[in-house]
Amino acid sequence: EDSVGVAEVTRAFLASPAVDPALVSAEWVRNHYRWIVLKMAATERMFPEQLANRYLTPDNLLLQLKYRYDREIDLCQRSALRKVLEKDESSTKPMVLFVADISNVTDKEAGGERGEREMLLSDGWYSVMATVDREMSMMVRRTVVRVGTKLLVMGAELINNENGCHPFETPANVRLRVWTNSTRRARWHSRLGFCPHLPPPARLRGVLGRGGTVPALAATVVRTYPLLFLEKLSGGKTVIRGEKTEQAAEDAYQLKRQQCAESILSQLQGEAEAVRCRDRRKQQPVTRRSVRQVGSTQELLSLLEGVEDISVFQEVLTSDQVSAIQERRQEEASRQQQELQDKLVRRLDEKMAPRSVTRMLKVRLGNEEERSDRSALLTVWNPSDDVLSLLAESNSLTFHNLSASGYSRYGDLQLTGNRQTRYTLRGHCEVPRQATPLSVLHNADHRPRYSELDVVGMVLPGSDRLVYLADANYNFLGVSFCTDIKDTGFSNTISPGSVVSASNLHWSCNLVSWSLPSAFATEMSSFSQHPRQPHLQDALQQLRDRLSSLDSEAYRDECVKRIKSLIDQRNSGGSVPASVATPATSSNERSLTRTAVVASSRLNSSETDDTPTNRRLAWLEQFGEPPALSPIALSTPRRLKRSFRPPKKDLSESR
């Protein structure tokens, strides 16, 4: 039929000179036949005018097979994938592979497809199945990645292949796990196999939240937040605290543990005393005559073991015997003390388990060179002092081996460091920071960078979860907390009447309501009466100078009256200006606005009872009344509007 297939090529190649059929198998020929034909056919399609029907020929095919025989069999040279599958090279090394096939993953138990994809990756010599994440599946769906695309793969993970195996003996469940953030498209003429040169570090705009590991990232630290502490409770829950609240929790725990230890120690001492009394009653009386009859020191120690005062036998004992007895008793006392200590620690741990607290540092990364507003939150667990010094604001670094863990509730890209994460300092970049005037916050179009505020103001009373800040021009800002203020550790700092600075407050334009805007204090926010940041120091000093020229008590009372007036105006049914209101307001933001209104209305209330019932009622009041139900518009079909027609009787059937 004038055609040549794999069977004919196999017979011709094994019969060729300088080819030992005992060293290669038919499977070896079929494997390389597949990749050689694919390469030649793709080259002909790439250059049809020069190579059409002249490159993919039987002679060239046999020459390519002979070349691979010489490289792999005679010279014992192996391709990149073969070294990886045989566990002689790490799968994390950069490799250029091409997509040979794309398949959908089916779940037989579910009875259908799972919506995931797998790709067959090849280095031109051998192939391996690769599992991809959701981001890569989306790129396959958008045809950004398709069959024939060359990929630069870094940081891949070989799974289900502990001991290594030949590519022809690979089990069906062996996979190469590939992450989108660690993969880049390569040029069509890139050489397949290991890549000797690493690509430049990625930028934040190229990192995907669900794309897995990021091998290298170049960014600048634009915000360094206070240290946080994550405690794992016995019930499986976790609690995140700041430095002040963590110190208070640690002091309370140590106090309680000390009290428990004293109780257990007295109980153990009572038990030891009872044992000694019982042994003392069982012991036979010791006389001077019995002591004189003892020949060895060991027998003497055993005889006088239960005697508390050996001075009565001083006359019949030598100085060496007294020293031996005293030394033996000191050793016994040390042993008993150690046993008592071990029992104390064991019982104390059973009654009060040690705390499991992990330090956590969060920093915000940005690209100051590009002046872009895109940023990411990096979380570092148990940072060392060297890492803390590197992750200072304005430092530009290259981060190696980060993990992308999705997006936060505010839409920020989240990155996480691990044990393999390394940091390389590249230089310094100026990161401008300034205190935002409270007068600017009345504008609904105000967009602070990274949706964070640094403000200064005088504290006005609010509620358990809300305080107000005021400047010298009767501009106000409500600061809402997710927990009681006394549980945040800032209750002494933000006492009414004090002038404080607040940094890293979360801002949303949807929280602007009338002339009373609100911001949210997160776990990364901080308050201080003596800030260290220069921009907060200058703004705080300016505000104090302006307030010093006013009557502080009268100005504070006037601010409270104006806040009451704003709340009364809102409660009277006034509508929100159209320039402020937004149709798409999340439930969390509406809850924060209601919190500000309800908590501020307490200023008008004469109730001073701070009981659990009142606090629960106040918490329920912030949700407000449910919105009115819209009427259900039902359309009645025409057939139902017709008049009723009685059925006609069929006379033929009655006959």
Side-chain angles (χ1 to χ4, degrees):
E1 298 180 359
D2 296 334
S3 62
V4 177
V6 63
E8 292 78 11
V9 171
T10 301
R11 290 196 298 267
F13 177 75
L14 295 179
S16 301
V19 175
D20 188 356
L23 299 180
V24 294
S25 61
E27 185 178 6
W28 185 91
V29 179
R30 284 195 302 270
N31 173 72
H32 291 287
Y33 173 89
R34 173 186 180 184
W35 303 120
I36 293 173
V37 170
L38 190 150
K39 179 184 69 172
M40 290 183 169
T43 306
E44 281 194 359
R45 292 187 62 183
M46 192 70 182
F47 305 98
E49 296 180 359
Q50 294 84 5
L51 299 176
N53 298 324
R54 291 196 297 269
Y55 188 51
L56 181 54
T57 61
D59 292 339
N60 290 336
L61 181 59
L62 290 174
L63 289 176
Q64 288 283 332
L65 283 173
K66 183 61 171 61
Y67 170 77
R68 296 196 176 202
Y69 177 88
D70 295 340
R71 290 280 304 273
E72 189 169 5
I73 305 302
D74 291 345
L75 301 179
C76 298
Q77 296 177 354
R78 295 174 295 171
S79 67
L81 279 184
R82 181 175 175 181
K83 290 181 179 180
V84 170
L85 291 173
E86 292 178 349
K87 306 292 286 187
D88 291 330
E89 283 287 358
S90 173
S91 60
T92 60
K93 295 184 65 174
M95 297 179 289
V96 177
L97 308 174
F98 77 93
V99 182
D101 190 19
I102 298 175
S103 59
N104 293 328
V105 179
T106 58
D107 193 347
K108 296 182 179 179
E109 297 180 358
E113 296 183 359
R114 294 185 302 185
E116 300 178 0
R117 287 179 169 84
E118 288 185 345
M119 297 191 304
L120 182 67
L121 300 181
S122 173
D123 61 352
W125 292 62
Y126 297 98
S127 62
V128 63
M129 290 298 297
T131 60
V132 298
D133 49 29
R134 184 188 300 180
E135 299 290 353
M136 184 65 73
S137 298
M138 294 297 295
M139 291 187 178
V140 171
R141 184 179 302 175
R142 297 194 301 265
T143 67
V144 177
V145 176
R146 52 188 175 180
V147 175
T149 303
K150 286 187 177 182
L151 301 175
L152 174 59
V153 180
M154 299 172 288
E157 180 183 0
L158 188 65
I159 56 178
N160 301 326
N161 189 16
E162 299 296 334
N163 300 322
C165 59
H166 192 274
F168 295 155
E169 302 172 355
T170 303
N173 62 343
V174 172
R175 294 291 184 273
L176 187 69
R177 183 175 293 168
V178 176
W179 307 107
T180 305
N181 288 331
S182 302
T183 306
R184 299 186 183 183
R185 289 194 301 175
R187 297 183 181 272
W188 66 271
H189 54 77
S190 299
R191 187 181 183 87
L192 296 175
F194 288 120
C195 183
H197 305 290
L198 290 176
R203 297 290 179 175
L204 284 176
R205 65 175 182 270
V207 178
L208 302 174
R210 299 177 182 87
T213 304
V214 184
L217 174 66
T220 302
V221 180
V222 295
R223 297 287 188 275
T224 300
Y225 299 108
L227 274 175
L228 299 176
F229 297 84
L230 176 70
E231 180 180 6
K232 295 182 179 179
L233 304 179
S234 57
K237 297 181 180 180
T238 58
V239 178
I240 298 179
R241 300 186 179 94
E243 288 190 83
K244 293 185 178 180
T245 53
E246 168 59 24
Q247 186 61 41
E250 178 66 19
D251 294 342
Y253 173 80
Q254 293 296 338
L255 178 60
K256 188 176 180 181
R257 188 177 177 88
Q258 181 65 27
Q259 294 174 353
C260 184
E262 292 175 358
S263 176
I264 295 175
L265 180 60
S266 61
Q267 182 181 357
L268 291 175
Q269 289 176 347
E271 293 176 358
E273 184 64 26
V275 171
R276 285 194 297 268
C277 292
R278 186 171 59 252
D279 294 342
R280 197 178 300 114
R281 288 194 298 268
K282 293 180 180 179
Q283 187 179 9
Q284 296 181 358
V286 180
T287 60
R288 289 184 175 87
R289 182 177 180 182
S290 59
V291 171
R292 291 193 186 96
Q293 293 177 355
V294 174
S296 63
T297 306
Q298 189 66 28
E299 293 179 359
L300 180 63
L301 294 175
S302 300
L303 180 63
L304 299 177
E305 184 177 0
V307 179
E308 296 183 359
D309 187 12
I310 62 173
S311 59
V312 295
F313 305 104
Q314 195 76 22
E315 301 175 356
V316 296
L317 295 175
T318 62
S319 59
D320 295 339
Q321 290 177 338
V322 172
S323 300
I325 293 174
Q326 291 178 350
E327 183 178 354
R328 173 65 177 273
R329 293 196 170 186
Q330 290 178 357
E331 294 177 356
E332 186 67 20
S334 300
R335 184 185 62 81
Q336 292 179 358
Q337 185 66 24
Q338 186 63 37
E339 290 181 354
L340 183 65
Q341 187 69 22
D342 295 341
K343 289 181 180 180
L344 175 62
V345 173
R346 189 164 51 252
R347 290 194 185 183
L348 188 58
D349 290 341
E350 292 175 356
K351 196 169 184 179
M352 288 187 62
R355 300 178 68 217
S356 176
V357 181
T358 305
R359 289 202 312 170
M360 177 174 57
L361 174 67
K362 286 192 175 186
V363 298
R364 185 176 293 275
L365 306 180
N367 287 329
E368 287 299 314
E369 298 87 351
E370 302 176 0
R371 296 298 178 183
S372 173
D373 288 338
R374 181 173 176 81
S375 64
L377 282 177
L378 171 62
T379 303
V380 182
W381 299 96
N382 288 325
S384 62
D385 294 337
D386 295 336
V387 173
L388 290 175
S389 62
L390 282 175
L391 297 180
E393 288 189 13
S394 303
N395 281 352
S396 297
L397 301 99
T398 300
F399 303 85
H400 303 273
N401 297 323
L402 296 178
S403 298
S405 53
Y407 299 91
S408 67
R409 56 184 175 181
Y410 302 121
D412 296 320
L413 173 66
Q414 289 187 322
L415 302 174
T416 306
N418 48 54
R419 295 180 179 177
Q420 288 77 33
T421 302
R422 295 180 293 108
Y423 311 89
T424 304
L425 182 63
R426 296 188 295 118
H428 301 275
C429 183
E430 186 66 26
V431 179
R433 296 193 68 169
Q434 60 181 358
T436 304
L438 298 187
S439 58
V440 179
L441 304 180
H442 296 279
N443 184 8
D445 297 330
H446 178 63
R447 298 288 188 276
R449 200 172 188 187
Y450 311 123
S451 298
E452 291 182 346
L453 295 175
D454 291 350
V455 297
V456 296
M458 182 177 63
V459 180
L460 300 177
S463 68
D464 295 337
R465 301 191 177 192
L466 178 72
V467 295
Y468 293 100
L469 298 179
D471 61 5
N473 296 324
Y474 297 104
N475 296 310
F476 308 111
L477 172 66
V479 181
S480 301
F481 295 80
C482 59
T483 59
D484 289 347
I485 297 176
K486 60 183 179 180
D487 296 332
T488 62
F490 295 111
S491 57
N492 295 329
T493 304
I494 53 178
S495 58
S498 58
V499 181
V500 300
S501 65
S503 59
N504 306 325
L505 297 178
H506 181 73
W507 169 260
S508 176
C509 61
N510 293 329
L511 294 184
V512 179
S513 175
W514 286 81
S515 299
L516 196 60
S518 297
F520 191 75
T522 65
E523 64 272 6
M524 297 178 291
S525 303
S526 61
F527 300 84
S528 176
Q529 297 181 5
H530 304 282
R532 297 181 180 178
Q533 297 90 334
H535 68 287
L536 291 178
Q537 290 179 356
D538 297 339
L540 198 63
Q541 186 60 40
Q542 293 177 7
L543 179 61
R544 284 172 177 166
D545 294 341
R546 295 195 61 184
L547 292 177
S548 62
S549 61
L550 303 175
D551 187 356
S552 59
E553 293 294 334
Y555 182 75
R556 177 181 170 186
D557 295 339
E558 181 63 22
C559 289
V560 172
K561 289 179 181 179
R562 294 199 179 196
I563 292 177
K564 291 179 181 179
S565 177
L566 292 173
I567 299 303
D568 292 339
Q569 184 180 1
R570 184 183 184 89
N571 293 339
S572 62
S575 60
V576 180
S579 62
V580 175
T582 55
T585 303
S586 64
S587 60
N588 186 26
E589 292 164 349
R590 289 195 300 268
S591 175
L592 289 175
T593 305
R594 294 194 201 101
T595 302
V597 175
V598 173
S600 302
S601 63
R602 294 186 182 179
L603 296 171
N604 295 328
S605 176
S606 60
E607 297 179 0
T608 58
D609 297 335
D610 187 16
T611 62
T613 304
N614 290 339
R615 286 198 298 267
R616 293 190 187 98
L617 291 175
W619 174 250
L620 292 175
E621 287 175 0
Q622 69 175 332
F623 297 101
E625 295 295 330
L629 296 177
S630 60
I632 302 176
L634 298 177
S635 58
T636 306
R638 286 184 177 180
R639 299 178 59 184
L640 296 180
K641 294 181 179 180
R642 294 176 182 175
S643 59
F644 175 73
R645 291 183 180 182
K648 295 182 180 180
K649 185 176 182 181
D650 191 353
L651 299 177
S652 62
E653 291 183 0
S654 62
R655 294 176 182 176

